[in-house]
Amino acid sequence: MGDFSPYDDNGGTVAAIAGQDYVLIACDSRLSTGSTILSRFTPKIYPLSKMTVFACSGFHADVLTLIKNLEVRMKLFIHEHGEEMSTKAVMALMLPTLYGRRFFPFYVRPIVAGLDRDGKGLVASYDPVGTPEFFDYVIQGSGENLVHPFLHNQIGAKRTLSDVPVQAPPGLTLDKAVKLLKDAFLAAAERDVYTGDTVTLVAMTAKGTETMEYQLRRD
Amino acid sequence: MNPFNYNGGVCVAMKGKNCVAIASDHRLGAGRLTVSTDFPKVFEMGPALFIGLPGLTTDSLTVVNKLKFRVNLYELRENRKIRPHTFKAMVESMLYERRFGPYYVASVIAGLDPETDEPFVTAMDVLGAGEVNEPFAVAGTAEESLLGLCEALWEPDLAPEDLFETLSQVILNAVDFDCLGGAGATIHVIEKDKVTTRTIKTRMD
């Protein structure tokens, strides 16, 4: 009991891209503790409502508890207001939910992604105590350092001839975004032992949600 | 303070089709203080053989002098140019001699074999443990960024110009996220009978 720790790191990588008329969320499906693989198929993307999804790496038990908390709060919202929470409202809800545990935080790196009421993509990412960041693209988790510069280069068009984000949102199409995130996860799985098995991509547009799955390295 | 993060700096090398390229940044620091912005970490060991030595700069300079000495002796004794894989073995054994008090440098070697013109690239740690069967090699303070970018951007059989562009993008985007590296970069593209050296600009913050 003396060396008990209430936290573990179950690894994994999550990423998202917000487009003009879509949002794309991706995650790997490996769950590990140290050098042991706990599960090869536990995708880290969780639907919260018709318009909003949640993706999270970190300590899996905290991830599950956090989602339960969010679902309770979202249900209370429906009973009070007679409608589902908007994506922006869920993004705002994350801060008090996480900061409420300021002195015993959930060990999580969450991303909230979804569409606003006009069908435009929105992405927000948070640190374990709820500090929000709003970018057009984001990557968090164990493969973050490997892939972050790649996304800046390809989506942010950093260090290209003009240094102007030529293909960044709004110019980035959903097809191209899918290809980029697939490549990003292939690269992460190649070198990060906590990322692998499969990559799940969830594409959300006003027309509906499409889920894609591709194999990654399994070693 | 960690000797690997004291002076800062990165090196990266890549194989292409009948060519190799090696690059380093230009920053020399003392902790958070930038001392020089004109300090490449790649050194010439022969007409088509280069070594990059990011890490503790005082050790880099010692190691490069010792290596040049050993290479000169080898080439006088053998009366031929040293081959990259022989040079790799030389670096390996020299670093391992200091097993219990190592030089705080990582090494990246790039070259063309003088006999077969085969591209050669490798990286090793402070004790000389390395890998030879990789198409690219990275070392330094932005190691993870470099590795991720190489993995995503590299493709087989790059021509010299494409290899230069790919390696430029790799080092540029990696040092953008590294406060201990950057301040410009130098890239050597090594072909048979020709080495093209170019300097590129990066963010200066």
Side-chain angles (χ1 to χ4, degrees):
Chain A
M1 200 56 202
D3 54 3
F4 171 76
S5 164
Y7 290 125
D8 192 10
D9 184 355
N10 300 118
T13 308
V14 291
I17 297 174
Q20 280 308 4
D21 54 355
Y22 67 88
V23 69
L24 180 67
I25 312 97
C27 69
D28 74 310
S29 68
R30 178 172 295 179
L31 204 69
S32 54
T33 177
S35 54
T36 306
I37 293 171
L38 298 171
S39 166
R40 289 195 187 275
F41 194 72
T42 305
K44 296 155 188 74
I45 297 174
Y46 307 87
L48 286 177
S49 71
K50 261 180 275 168
M51 302 284 264
T52 316
V53 294
F54 177 80
C56 198
S57 69
F59 179 29
H60 193 57
D62 278 357
V63 175
L64 297 176
T65 311
L66 175 59
I67 289 166
K68 269 189 180 173
N69 282 349
L70 286 172
E71 278 170 352
V72 168
R73 289 179 184 220
M74 288 175 74
K75 194 159 274 177
L76 284 171
F77 183 98
I78 293 173
H79 290 312
E80 246 175 77
H81 298 89
E83 61 171 358
E84 269 193 342
M85 279 178 99
S86 66
T87 300
K88 271 187 184 160
V90 177
M91 287 173 171
L93 177 67
M94 287 297 289
L95 195 150
T97 309
L98 290 166
Y99 198 82
R101 299 267 305 219
R102 173 64 178 77
F103 298 106
F104 186 21
F106 291 126
Y107 188 64
V108 291
R109 301 297 305 273
I111 294 174
V112 175
L115 301 172
D116 70 6
R117 295 196 201 283
D118 304 323
K120 191 180 174 309
L122 296 171
V123 165
S125 65
Y126 303 83
D127 74 354
V129 288
T131 316
E133 286 180 316
F134 302 95
F135 292 119
D136 287 335
Y137 51 95
V138 65
I139 181 148
Q140 295 203 323
S142 55
E144 184 179 331
N145 291 342
L146 287 160
V147 175
H148 193 196
F150 173 66
L151 292 186
H152 264 273
N153 181 221
Q154 295 293 310
I155 305 174
K158 292 284 189 303
R159 298 298 166 197
T160 53
L161 273 180
S162 61
D163 238 16
V164 175
V166 279
Q167 47 166 270
L172 186 68
T173 62
L174 179 56
D175 284 348
K176 175 88 177 155
V178 168
K179 277 186 189 151
L180 280 175
L181 278 193
K182 224 167 94 181
D183 275 0
F185 274 82
L186 284 168
E190 202 67 36
R191 298 287 175 168
D192 175 25
V193 293
Y194 304 115
T195 300
D197 297 315
T198 55
V199 55
T200 305
L201 297 140
V202 177
M204 238 186 193
T205 60
K207 286 185 205 128
T209 303
E210 191 196 342
T211 305
M212 292 153 273
E213 237 167 54
Y214 301 96
Q215 285 291 316
L216 294 177
R217 287 183 76 104
R218 283 164 58 83
D219 56 0
Chain B
M1 188 175 274
N2 180 347
F4 292 104
N5 299 336
Y6 182 63
N7 298 121
V10 302
C11 281
V12 51
M14 255 182 200
K15 276 187 200 172
K17 192 177 172 63
N18 305 321
C19 57
V20 278
I22 182 167
S24 81
D25 68 331
H26 284 178
R27 183 178 178 273
L28 171 69
R32 284 168 289 182
L33 173 73
T34 299
V35 176
S36 171
T37 55
D38 186 20
F39 198 87
K41 291 136 198 86
V42 173
F43 305 95
E44 197 175 331
M45 282 291 139
L49 182 60
F50 288 76
I51 182 166
L53 295 162
L56 192 68
T57 303
T58 179
D59 283 355
S60 304
L61 298 176
T62 307
V63 167
V64 81
N65 283 329
K66 278 176 167 285
L67 281 171
K68 191 66 201 169
F69 173 73
R70 290 192 184 200
V71 168
N72 284 344
L73 278 187
Y74 176 94
E75 290 182 350
L76 282 169
R77 190 171 56 222
E78 299 280 328
N79 197 26
R80 62 188 170 96
K81 286 292 165 197
I82 193 166
R83 300 173 75 175
H85 68 264
T86 318
F87 180 62
K88 185 216 169 223
M90 184 185 272
V91 180
E92 234 170 44
S93 62
M94 208 192 88
L95 291 173
Y96 198 80
E97 275 176 16
R98 292 277 180 277
R99 172 64 176 79
F100 297 108
Y103 294 117
Y104 295 111
V105 289
S107 318
V108 175
I109 299 169
L112 289 181
D113 193 305
E115 281 162 42
T116 63
D117 300 320
E118 266 301 291
F120 179 91
V121 151
T122 189
M124 60 188 88
D125 67 3
V126 280
L127 299 178
E131 174 62 60
V132 286
N133 294 319
E134 296 278 343
F136 40 78
V138 304
T141 45
E143 200 170 270
E144 274 205 37
S145 297
L146 287 167
L147 204 51
L149 280 159
C150 283
E151 204 58 74
L153 297 181
W154 183 85
E155 45 195 279
D157 297 329
L158 287 165
E161 277 307 303
D162 300 330
L163 184 65
F164 168 73
E165 180 63 27
T166 307
L167 194 60
S168 301
Q169 290 296 329
V170 165
I171 194 163
L172 238 33
N173 287 283
V175 296
D176 274 2
F177 288 92
D178 177 19
C179 11
L180 301 175
T186 295
I187 298 172
H188 307 275
V189 181
I190 307 160
E191 292 165 76
K192 194 177 182 246
D193 305 323
K194 185 167 92 171
V195 177
T196 315
T197 301
R198 294 186 185 88
T199 299
I200 53 175
K201 288 180 179 173
T202 71
R203 289 174 67 117
M204 296 301 280
D205 57 0

